[in-house]
Amino acid sequence: MNKKEIGSALRRGVLAGTIAGSVAGFAAFAVAPANGDAKVPQIAPTSVDLPPVPPPPSLAPLPTVGSVQVTTSVTLPAFQPLPPAPAVAAGVPTTRGS
Amino acid sequence: MTERVERTFRAMGTSMRFIAYAADAAGGQRALEAAEERTRSIEARFSRFIASSELSRLNAFVGSPVAVSRDMAEVLGLALEQHHATGGLFDPAILPDLERAGYDRTFDEIDPDAARPGPSAHATFADLEWDGRTVRTPHGMRIDLGGIVKGWTADRIADQLARVGPVLVDLGGDIAVRGTPPGESAWTVAVEDPAAGPALAALRVTTGAIATSGTYRRRWTGAAGTMHHLIDPRTGRPAASDLVAVVALHPRAVIADVWAKCVLLERPQRRAALIAACPGLEVILVPVSGIPVGTGGALARCIDGSANGVAA
């Protein structure tokens, strides 16, 4: 075989091998797809007995607007008239508007 | 044996008087001289009428952070505290409105026709940026501490002079006492009648302070009408109150000074609640028309003149 014949034979071989490999691979995938799939784990159904929810506390009825009372510890001052002022000696310190 | 010593002088635009009972007269006089000097140095720091004062410099540096002295820090801190405690009724930032009313120079130099009409222009003191040592006044804010400095000074001077003996410090009507005169159970302090009649009352004071705020002094009349120095921060105008004067009694002169003004500024229906908000405060209210009234603690200090005695 000369060089051309050798090259031609190689090319045919490579081409034929490539086609054969592709066909074989596709066939393997198409024919047995389940072989490559992971099995999905199955979760067994469970049931847990939760403790019973306590009933809601009993609430007092909401106050109506009329029954709301605001209490405060602040005592407002009461005002009373001043007693009669005495006569004041001259020189007594005097508070005055400034 | 104690000696009564006394000193009178003018400062802060008003007359001042110190009375003390000292172990020796010379030492007492020296103490009073030192107290006068201290009062003048406080005026030099806090007066808005002195261009070189710390307050004037503070007002000139609007928008810039300014480090302040210890005294200024204390007063600014107190002023902010009282601004909040009075719900904003005490507001040192009303200076632009006070000047617009014509009080833009010392009272003795006021031009009655200098009042300018216009809307309120002052910022609220709550906007002052203050970290305890450095202050920055926002744009539009200028401060007058005249509503608190006299009371604060009265406390300081009274504490200083108390080392000498019993003392009464009278800063233009803001009075602080420590101790009682020898042989007496209290000091006697008269309450001026706004109508220039005889004293409205005579009070027995054992300790603490009395301050009066009134619209009957520092008032002027010009083309824009009658003005006075008590600016209502809610309107920016001289207050239109049903009261002509309020006398406040409190252990601290600075509190009495501030709250006397605020009680006068407050609306009648909210006044009792305002007074109740300041523990230890007792007041005498002098209405524009009608009879003066007082709270229980104030009445308890009034000397009853029914016996026709003379209070001295």
Side-chain angles (χ1 to χ4, degrees), chain B residues 72-92:
Chain B
M72 182 62 79
E74 187 175 329
V75 172
L76 284 177
L78 271 169
L80 268 173
E81 175 191 298
Q82 294 305 309
H83 175 71
H84 293 300
T86 59
L89 277 178
F90 173 68
D91 194 333

Side-chain angles (χ1 to χ4, degrees), chain B residues 7 13 55 81 96 123 144 156 170 204 216 221 231 267-268 309 312:
Chain B
R7 191 171 187 86
L55 180 64
E81 175 191 298
D144 173 28
R156 297 286 295 259
D170 176 0
R204 295 174 59 77
Y216 65 102
T221 301
I231 300 293
R267 297 183 180 96

Side-chain angles (χ1 to χ4, degrees), chain A residues 77 80 84-85 87 89 91 93 95-98, chain B residues 15 17 173 190 212 216-217 229 294 305 311:
Chain A
Q80 297 290 329
T95 182
R96 57 194 184 277
S98 56
Chain B
S15 59
R17 184 183 188 195
T212 299
Y216 65 102
R217 281 181 179 263
H229 69 297

Side-chain angles (χ1 to χ4, degrees), chain B residues 149-201:
Chain B
V149 163
K150 268 217 314 280
W152 178 79
T153 306
D155 284 330
R156 297 286 295 259
I157 298 299
D159 287 339
Q160 179 178 328
L161 288 175
R163 295 177 213 135
V164 173
V167 62
L168 180 146
V169 170
D170 176 0
L171 304 189
D174 289 1
I175 294 174
V177 305
R178 303 286 186 271
T180 54
E184 302 285 341
S185 58
W187 296 88
T188 298
V189 175
V191 176
E192 182 180 67
D193 178 10
L200 283 183

Side-chain angles (χ1 to χ4, degrees), chain A:
Chain A
M1 296 177 75
N2 60 21
K3 287 182 181 175
K4 279 190 176 180
E5 288 170 339
I6 293 169
S8 176
L10 280 173
R11 282 194 293 274
R12 281 197 299 273
V14 168
L15 179 60
T18 303
I19 292 170
S22 297
V23 170
F26 176 76
F29 178 77
V31 171
N35 291 341
D37 290 347
K39 285 191 175 179
V40 177
Q42 296 297 313
I43 301 173
T46 59
S47 67
V48 176
D49 291 333
L50 297 172
V53 177
S58 58
L59 299 174
L62 291 173
T64 62
V65 172
S67 69
V68 171
Q69 290 187 342
V70 177
T71 55
T72 172
S73 60
V74 176
T75 305
L76 298 182
F79 299 103
Q80 297 290 329
L82 304 184
V88 175
V92 167
T94 301
T95 182
R96 57 194 184 277
S98 56

